[in-house]
Amino acid sequence: MILSALLTSVGINVALCLLFFILYSVLRNRPSYADFYIPRLVAEGKFQEEDEFSVGKLLSSVKWVKRAWQPSEDELLANSGLDAVVFMRIFTFGLRVFRFAGIIGLCILLPFNYMGNQLNIDFTDLPNKSLESFSISNVDDGSNRLWIHFAAVYIFTAVVCYLLYYEYDYIASKRIGYFYSSKPRPGQFTVLVRSIPTTSGRSFSESVESFFSEYYPSTYLSHSVVRRTSKLKGLINEADKVYKRLVHLKTKKHPQERFKRAGFMGLFGRRVDLLDHYEKKLEDVEGNVRIERSSISGKEVPAAFVSFKSRFSAAIVSHVQQGVKPTEWLTEQAPDPQDVYWPFFSASFIKRWFCNIAVIFACSFVTILFLVPVLLVQGLTHLDQLEVWLPFLRGILKLKIVSQVITGYFPSLILEMFLSLVPPVMIVLSSIQGYIALSQIEKSACIKVLWFTIWNVFFANVLSGSALYRVDVFLEPKRIPELLAVAVPGQASFFIAYVVTSGWTKTFSSELFRLKRLFWSFLKGTLCWKSDEELEVPSNPYHSEIPRILFFSLLGITYFFLAPLILPFVLVYYCLGYVIYRNQLLNVYAPKFETGGKFWPVVHDATIFSLILMHVIAIGIFGLKKVPLASSLTIPLPILTLIFNSYCRRRFLPSFKGYPAECLINKDRFDQSDPTISSFYDELATAYRDPAMKPVRYSEASESSSSPLLYGADK
């Protein structure tokens, strides 16, 4: 099953890569592969395209591996920021953990498992039974060899906790060092103030200036009131679409393509000149934009960005209650301008509260709905069930190669296809919760995707794959270790195939070759109109990639002593991911925001959860294997792990919520000797202006159809 999954998935993905490359190079007939595979270098002007596109040359070249491997961590930090460094530290941490786990699991536990006689393995049919023979299920009940597994669980837990502490301490110190070395950023000097009280005869802007000038006279610098710009943004988006269509029409080689019938779907009515039509429409939209901008000053929202002359002052304001009423003058540290998420500033407290409740119900609904593909996947892993559901396939399913492909590859592929829809859904749900920063939305979506994956991919598959899938399981907490001990080992082969399918091939083909982006560009260029727009440089999708990496970590930790054969597959995934994602961070992705490493606490908590899950399963396994003393002696292990986690949270977590006063004051003193700080203060006054308020001019002389269009020219 595992071999068929490996060969089939690798073969299909490589074939898809070659097919897309050939289609793109033949039909597009232009050497633009750099736009897809190194867009960041192209956008920054660091790449010179000299050679024609060659599929064979690109596939056979290994220079990119060397270029991805060579840069140091400090160079990665300077190039992509601390979030990129933390992202790569997840791979470094995983390599250290599973390198140690592989040595213990493959060299010690696996031989002891193989020498057991519990399953009465038929060695004449070893290829179909090999995985079970190497799992803990093959160890005899009551055997003293189980104490080796008991010791391995304790030693492995100690090593993982040590590495977790080391990484937490390292990243916390790196966060402080990055703060000291960074240039002044608007978010460090600015506070977001919400729930500004209404005062008769005063605008919100006047109230903010009066309040902070009175109570912070020596440190208050400037403010920028948020306004309702949803209608204005809609008009600008409409103007942008019309502008792109005009550009497309101007690039057409055949003048007759400019003419179209004015009726339904361009099939009926008189023929019109689309160029004149869209130029007049653009003029009308630009006029509406000017009218809306002239009236926008009166559409203030009770929220404002207030800037101060020092970081320390901004930190004090963000943490201290400002007004007598705790529901007024609410303050929080502002994100950087490029990180601001504007749509939810006009939402009231009640609306945000209702949205949070709605998101909870929506997440629950999506979780329950996802059980349908999980049950489908489990049906494919059990051919006897599939034959009952679809009896007309009985003859085909008896073919060995068909049965191996269906049970080994298709379940993981189908599950991965459905899982690919989850991150976008979670981003949408997080965006309506009232967050005011893109980084907050992405972190919230990251946590949602992580726990969704753990529940629906791990627990739902484990429980639905056995006869133990009953609701009353959760009403008997004492039986949970026993039930997991029975169900989890039976799904080892499925999860190994899942690591191969979702891990190896997706990391290798989808991420490195960027198949989705290539396919979408091909469709857009072939079937749709395409304008000469700027190259779009993507950002690393942390909300989808971090949960994937942590889920493979959970599988490796959970099956460490149950089925050590999974460890090489997980280790290879981390090796591939380390090289490939380094290349992506350096050449493909450009950071869209900087959180200062705030994703690491999510990694830490997920790893602690994986350890505790392993402990619970170990308690059940030792009990089922009739070693009650080992089961009892394992009970303190999750308690000690939780105590360790509590210590780490108290020791390191405050450093990730904000910077200490010592660092803020030292950095402010250093800025006093910086000659550029005064110009930075001047920029703060307009740093938090809504993008919809920035001047945009699309046309210079729209009367002439041959006049060039100007886009984004600031007045």
Side-chain angles (χ1 to χ4, degrees):
M1 179 185 296
I2 299 170
L3 182 60
S4 65
L6 175 61
L7 295 177
T8 307
S9 60
V10 170
I12 289 178
N13 280 274
V14 170
L16 285 174
C17 292
L18 289 171
L19 178 61
F20 279 122
F21 272 128
I22 293 171
L23 282 174
Y24 188 79
S25 60
V26 171
L27 298 179
R28 298 293 292 172
N29 195 28
R30 63 185 181 92
S32 60
Y33 68 94
D35 294 352
F36 299 97
Y37 305 113
I38 48 174
R40 182 176 180 179
L41 293 185
V42 174
E44 294 175 354
K46 298 179 181 178
F47 174 76
Q48 297 294 331
E49 198 167 18
E50 299 174 354
D51 301 326
E52 292 294 321
F53 174 67
S54 171
V55 177
K57 182 177 180 180
L58 185 62
L59 292 176
S60 62
S61 175
V62 293
K63 292 182 179 179
W64 67 271
V65 177
K66 183 179 179 181
R67 288 195 297 266
W69 189 279
Q70 282 181 337
S72 64
E73 190 174 89
D74 291 336
E75 291 174 323
L76 180 63
L77 178 67
N79 187 277
S80 301
L82 186 57
D83 285 335
V85 171
V86 169
F87 183 75
M88 293 310 304
R89 295 298 296 190
I90 303 176
F91 285 100
T92 304
F93 172 75
L95 287 171
R96 291 172 177 170
V97 167
F98 294 112
R99 182 175 56 191
F100 175 80
I103 294 173
I104 301 297
L106 298 178
C107 299
I108 300 177
L109 299 182
L110 190 141
F112 279 109
N113 294 342
Y114 183 74
M115 289 186 292
N117 299 306
Q118 183 69 26
L119 299 179
N120 296 320
I121 301 297
D122 181 9
F123 289 94
T124 61
D125 193 24
L126 189 59
N128 294 327
K129 300 293 184 180
S130 58
L131 183 59
E132 294 180 5
S133 67
F134 290 115
S135 70
I136 196 174
S137 302
N138 194 42
V139 180
D140 299 330
D141 292 347
S143 173
N144 288 331
R145 293 173 180 171
L146 291 169
W147 287 100
I148 302 295
H149 296 77
F150 169 82
V153 170
Y154 261 89
I155 294 172
F156 181 67
T157 301
V159 170
V160 173
C161 288
Y162 168 77
L163 293 175
L164 275 176
Y165 182 88
Y166 173 81
E167 291 294 334
Y168 223 148
D169 183 55
Y170 178 83
I171 294 174
S173 62
K174 205 76 174 174
R175 175 176 161 85
I176 299 298
Y178 184 73
F179 171 74
Y180 275 125
S181 63
S182 63
K183 296 180 179 180
R185 291 163 48 187
Q188 299 171 352
F189 294 81
T190 306
V191 170
L192 172 64
V193 182
R194 289 203 268 195
S195 298
I196 302 171
T198 304
T199 305
S200 60
R202 273 187 176 184
S203 64
F204 289 124
S205 179
E206 293 170 340
S207 297
V208 169
E209 185 170 7
S210 174
F211 182 88
F212 286 97
S213 296
E214 179 179 356
Y215 295 106
Y216 299 93
S218 60
T219 57
Y220 167 70
L221 183 63
S222 62
H223 72 277
S224 179
V225 175
V226 182
R227 292 176 169 82
R228 292 186 180 90
T229 58
S230 56
K231 183 178 179 181
L232 179 59
K233 289 176 182 176
L235 291 172
I236 292 177
N237 290 336
E238 184 181 358
D240 188 61
K241 292 178 182 178
V242 176
Y243 163 77
K244 289 180 179 179
R245 291 179 182 178
L246 269 174
V247 172
H248 174 65
L249 288 172
K250 286 180 174 292
T251 58
K252 282 187 175 294
K253 297 180 180 179
H254 303 290
Q256 62 270 20
E257 295 182 13
R258 289 170 39 183
F259 296 92
K260 184 180 179 182
R261 297 189 180 276
F264 177 71
M265 295 183 65
L267 301 176
F268 307 99
R270 63 184 181 85
R271 291 173 62 86
V272 296
D273 188 342
L274 293 179
L275 193 60
D276 293 338
H277 171 71
Y278 284 126
E279 282 188 344
K280 292 177 182 178
K281 187 174 182 179
L282 182 59
E283 288 181 12
D284 295 338
V285 175
E286 284 185 316
N288 293 334
V289 168
R290 286 191 292 269
I291 294 172
E292 181 64 21
R293 278 210 177 119
S294 64
S295 62
I296 204 74
S297 58
K299 298 181 178 180
E300 292 182 340
V301 172
F305 290 98
V306 182
S307 299
F308 297 84
K309 296 178 182 179
S310 67
R311 300 174 181 83
F312 184 63
S313 300
I316 291 177
V317 173
S318 65
H319 289 89
V320 175
Q321 180 178 322
Q322 299 301 311
V324 176
K325 295 182 180 180
T327 57
E328 296 179 349
W329 298 106
L330 302 180
T331 57
E332 59 181 292
Q333 195 73 37
D336 286 328
Q338 71 274 12
D339 192 19
V340 174
Y341 181 70
W342 294 96
F344 240 85
F345 281 106
S346 58
S348 63
F349 172 80
I350 296 296
K351 182 179 179 181
R352 294 198 302 270
W353 184 79
F354 273 116
C355 286
N356 276 281
I357 299 298
V359 167
I360 294 174
F361 280 103
C363 288
S364 303
F365 175 76
V366 172
T367 301
I368 295 172
L369 186 65
F370 198 81
L371 292 177
V372 175
V374 170
L375 294 175
L376 174 63
V377 163
Q378 285 302 322
L380 292 176
T381 59
H382 298 81
L383 287 183
D384 52 345
Q385 296 180 13
L386 194 60
E387 290 177 358
V388 173
W389 295 346
L390 304 172
F392 59 89
L393 295 178
R394 190 169 299 171
I396 299 177
L397 295 177
K398 288 182 179 180
L399 297 176
K400 186 175 181 180
I401 186 171
V402 174
S403 63
Q404 287 181 343
V405 170
I406 290 177
T407 58
Y409 179 72
F410 277 2
S412 299
L413 177 63
I414 292 173
L415 191 62
E416 181 60 30
M417 289 173 59
F418 279 98
L419 276 176
S420 64
L421 303 175
V422 175
V425 171
M426 295 306 178
I427 279 286
V428 172
L429 293 178
S430 297
S431 65
I432 63 175
Q433 284 188 270
Y435 294 112
I436 52 95
L438 298 173
S439 58
Q440 294 173 347
I441 293 173
E442 193 145 346
K443 183 180 177 183
S444 176
C446 174
I447 296 172
K448 289 182 177 68
V449 174
L450 173 61
W451 296 115
F452 179 93
T453 306
I454 291 174
W455 171 252
N456 278 287
V457 180
F458 184 81
F459 285 107
N461 274 284
V462 163
L463 297 177
S464 63
S466 67
L468 303 172
Y469 192 64
R470 300 194 305 266
V471 177
D472 60 352
V473 168
F474 302 99
L475 303 178
E476 304 176 63
K478 293 182 180 179
R479 293 192 58 202
I480 290 178
E482 176 187 350
L483 298 174
L484 289 176
V486 173
V488 172
Q491 295 298 312
S493 59
F494 169 77
F495 285 123
I496 292 178
Y498 183 78
V499 172
V500 173
T501 304
S502 178
W504 289 17
T505 55
K506 182 172 179 59
T507 300
F508 179 71
S509 63
S510 181
E511 184 62 40
L512 184 60
F513 292 101
R514 305 191 67 211
L515 294 180
K516 293 179 181 178
R517 178 72 178 89
L518 184 62
F519 183 66
W520 170 247
S521 177
F522 169 72
L523 287 180
K524 187 177 179 181
T526 304
L527 305 178
C528 307
W529 57 270
K530 180 178 177 65
S531 63
D532 297 327
E533 53 192 20
E534 274 186 33
L535 172 66
E536 181 182 356
V537 182
S539 60
N540 191 14
Y542 293 113
H543 67 287
S544 61
E545 298 308 315
I546 290 179
R548 182 191 308 278
I549 300 167
L550 295 180
F551 181 71
F552 292 139
S553 176
L554 178 140
L555 294 179
I557 292 173
T558 304
Y559 282 97
F560 157 68
F561 76 104
L562 295 176
L565 205 59
I566 198 175
L567 297 174
F569 296 92
V570 176
L571 188 60
V572 169
Y573 166 76
Y574 275 91
C575 291
L576 285 173
Y578 181 82
V579 176
I580 290 174
Y581 279 103
R582 254 181 165 260
N583 173 77
Q584 304 302 89
L585 291 172
L586 291 168
N587 301 329
V588 177
Y589 297 131
K592 136 176 102 171
F593 54 75
E594 178 61 56
T595 69
K598 289 186 177 180
F599 282 96
W600 182 257
V602 178
V603 179
H604 178 91
D605 292 342
T607 307
I608 292 293
F609 175 83
S610 301
L611 286 175
I612 294 176
L613 179 61
M614 179 188 70
H615 301 154
V616 172
I617 296 173
I619 293 171
I621 281 286
F622 294 138
L624 287 176
K625 287 293 184 179
K626 299 179 181 179
V627 190
L629 181 58
S631 180
S632 301
L633 292 178
T634 308
I635 293 177
L637 200 52
I639 299 175
L640 294 173
T641 304
L642 288 174
I643 293 173
F644 165 77
N645 182 52
S646 177
Y647 172 77
C648 286
R649 290 178 66 87
R650 291 176 178 270
R651 169 70 175 79
F652 300 113
L653 193 57
S655 299
F656 285 80
K657 292 181 177 179
Y659 294 104
E662 177 184 354
C663 298
L664 295 172
I665 295 173
N666 287 337
K667 188 68 172 172
D668 288 335
R669 289 174 178 171
F670 176 80
D671 284 344
Q672 292 176 0
S673 58
D674 186 356
T676 63
I677 194 65
S678 58
S679 61
F680 173 76
Y681 287 154
D682 295 335
E683 294 172 0
L684 271 178
T686 58
Y688 287 93
R689 184 166 57 173
D690 193 319
M693 300 296 294
K694 295 180 180 178
V696 178
R697 184 175 53 181
Y698 292 94
S699 59
E700 183 72 31
S702 56
E703 294 84 0
S704 175
S705 61
S706 61
S707 61
L709 295 174
L710 301 178
Y711 173 66
D714 290 349
K715 295 180 181 179

